Amino acid sequence: MLVALMLDRTGTGVWSAVSVLYFTFVVGLDAGHIGLLLGAAGAAGIAGSPVGGRLAGRHSLRTLLIGAHLLRMAAVALLLVCDSFATLLPVVTLLSIADRAARTWEMLFATRVAGEQRVTYRALSRVTMNIGYAVGAGIAALGIAVGTRDAYSALVMGDAVSFLIAALIVGRTREVSGVPGKTERPQRSEPAVESRASAPTPWRDLGYLRFVLLDTPLNLDSTILSVGLPLWLFNHTTAPHTVVPTFLIINTVLVVVFQMPVSRRIDSPRRAGWAVVAYGSTLLACCVLVALSPAGGAVFSTVLMLAAAGLVTGAELMRAVSSWELAVCLAPNQAQPAYLGVAGLSASVAQSVGPLLLADAVMVAGPVGWLALGAAVMGLSEVQRRSSLSRLNAMTSGSKPSSSPHAGHGSGADGVSATDAAHA
């Protein structure tokens, strides 16, 4: 699965690097239509996580992942024959939905296979994926250097081929059941149907929905890195524009080097809760540096912006593990696919709303906007910690949280292990 993830993200890295250029120079779209195309696709992609969670409760995860890879392969291949906004919109939208659903199924697969070591697996997968993104960006750079229509088409086709190979590799994995440690095919007998019908639903679990709602602004780090920092550098500082690619280099190197050590320290729900607060503090420090960056010359601005990129990556290292750990531990085992599908909404919504928030609010407000953003995230991180640990304590003691009428009882039903319970 890790090899499949790296191939998947290598192709995705290629497409991420060339998509805007492809739409501009090959298809001939203007900036307005490209923004509308990507925005609409991103908004539609929000549905991918809950739909993926619902399907995972009924079908084989391996089959679903293979299907997602093949669907994305077909969608990317169709891009080569789309020559207008009208033909591109449904294809890019389908690709976005399939991407988000696949992320949910990958997370479920990892949760079931890794069991108590899911944090370690999460760290390994993030290192693997970042290597894939870096390789994909390097391949894309070669094609962009050539700059011909055929070169762009070859890059797009390479992305499609990466999904095909990933599907073949996923086919070599074993199917896993909903209970970590077991590797058996899901049963389709009548009792299993009754079990699904009686399982709790996240849409009526107010405590879990509150977790997802609070987790949404705690997923802004990637948007700050890819949208906020470049826009601020271009429009509000005297730092050279060549600094922008360094943001991605810093991010990739730090994730590859430090994701495993950071993850080893977040080995329980309680530590995950404190990591959420550390995330808020680190992001606040990043926002302070960005707010101060226009105060000096080019060298001063460059140093502060690079330091801000390092801090936002540090926040990402903690969020990537703590958010997933809490999402798993707060979900009842018997309804984990549906719950984790809803948990995926936080990242999807943040990626859709984040660019608008940064471009239309924070940028307009200037340094005050950055300070307000950092303070808000810091405050919400503490609320998330208290809320999550309160729910964990209630689940561990076997009582129902007042805002979570459908929470399970005991460690066997609520997804909290004995070790986790002791920490909580």
Side-chain angles (χ1 to χ4, degrees), residues 175-402:
E175 181 55 47
V176 291
S177 68
V179 180
K182 294 184 179 180
T183 54
E184 59 186 28
R185 295 184 180 276
Q187 300 298 317
R188 298 183 178 276
S189 59
E190 197 62 33
V193 175
E194 293 175 2
S195 174
R196 285 198 299 265
S198 61
T201 170
W203 298 109
R204 295 180 182 177
D205 190 333
L206 299 183
Y208 200 82
L209 291 177
R210 180 172 57 197
F211 162 76
V212 175
L213 179 64
L214 290 170
D215 200 45
T216 300
L218 304 182
N219 273 269
L220 286 174
D221 50 90
S222 60
T223 305
I224 289 174
L225 180 74
S226 62
V227 177
L229 296 188
L231 283 178
W232 186 259
L233 185 144
F234 290 153
N235 298 305
H236 295 271
T237 75
T238 56
H241 294 180
T242 52
V243 172
V244 171
T246 311
F247 296 157
L248 181 59
I249 295 173
I250 290 174
N251 179 264
T252 301
V253 171
L254 291 181
V255 169
V256 171
V257 173
F258 291 109
Q259 186 66 78
M260 286 297 294
V262 169
S263 300
R264 280 196 291 265
R265 300 182 66 86
I266 308 174
D267 58 358
S268 71
R270 185 175 183 83
R271 290 186 177 180
W274 283 113
V276 171
V277 177
Y279 170 91
S281 303
T282 306
L283 204 62
L284 174 59
C286 166
C287 291
V288 170
L289 292 185
V290 175
L292 294 174
S293 62
V299 174
F300 179 81
S301 297
T302 298
V303 171
L304 261 60
M305 292 299 290
L306 291 176
L311 285 171
V312 76
T313 300
E316 176 190 340
L317 292 172
M318 290 177 281
R319 184 267 305 162
V321 179
S322 61
S323 179
W324 189 31
E325 176 72 3
L326 290 174
V328 172
C329 290
L330 294 176
N333 264 346
Q334 71 270 30
Q336 205 171 68
Y339 271 70
L340 293 183
V342 171
L345 285 173
S346 57
S348 300
V349 173
Q351 290 175 6
S352 299
V353 177
L356 296 176
L357 172 67
L358 290 170
D360 296 337
V362 174
M363 296 295 160
V364 174
V368 174
W370 282 104
L371 296 176
L373 176 65
V377 172
M378 176 63 197
L380 290 173
S381 69
E382 175 60 21
V383 175
Q384 178 73 301
R385 184 190 72 85
R386 292 176 178 270
S387 175
S388 298
L389 293 185
S390 175
R391 176 179 170 93
L392 281 167
N393 286 334
M395 294 167 72
T396 304
S397 65
S399 62
K400 295 181 180 180
S402 58

Side-chain angles (χ1 to χ4, degrees), residues 52-64 105 112 175-176 186 188 196 337:
R54 187 171 182 84
L55 290 174
R58 291 170 164 76
H59 304 284
S60 156
L61 273 181
R62 182 177 59 182
T63 301
L64 289 171
W105 296 330
R112 293 177 181 179
E175 181 55 47
V176 291
R188 298 183 178 276
R196 285 198 299 265

Side-chain angles (χ1 to χ4, degrees), residues 91-131:
V91 175
V92 176
T93 298
L94 177 63
L95 184 61
S96 178
I97 294 173
D99 279 343
R100 295 311 310 177
R103 300 294 188 269
T104 298
W105 296 330
E106 289 167 354
M107 183 168 67
L108 276 166
F109 188 97
T111 300
R112 293 177 181 179
V113 169
E116 292 297 320
Q117 299 201 356
R118 56 182 172 268
V119 172
T120 301
Y121 183 95
R122 173 62 170 170
L124 282 170
S125 66
R126 279 183 49 74
V127 170
T128 301
M129 290 186 290
N130 272 272
I131 292 174

Side-chain angles (χ1 to χ4, degrees), residues 331-335 395 407-416:
N333 264 346
Q334 71 270 30
M395 294 167 72
H409 298 278
S411 61
D414 57 25
V416 182

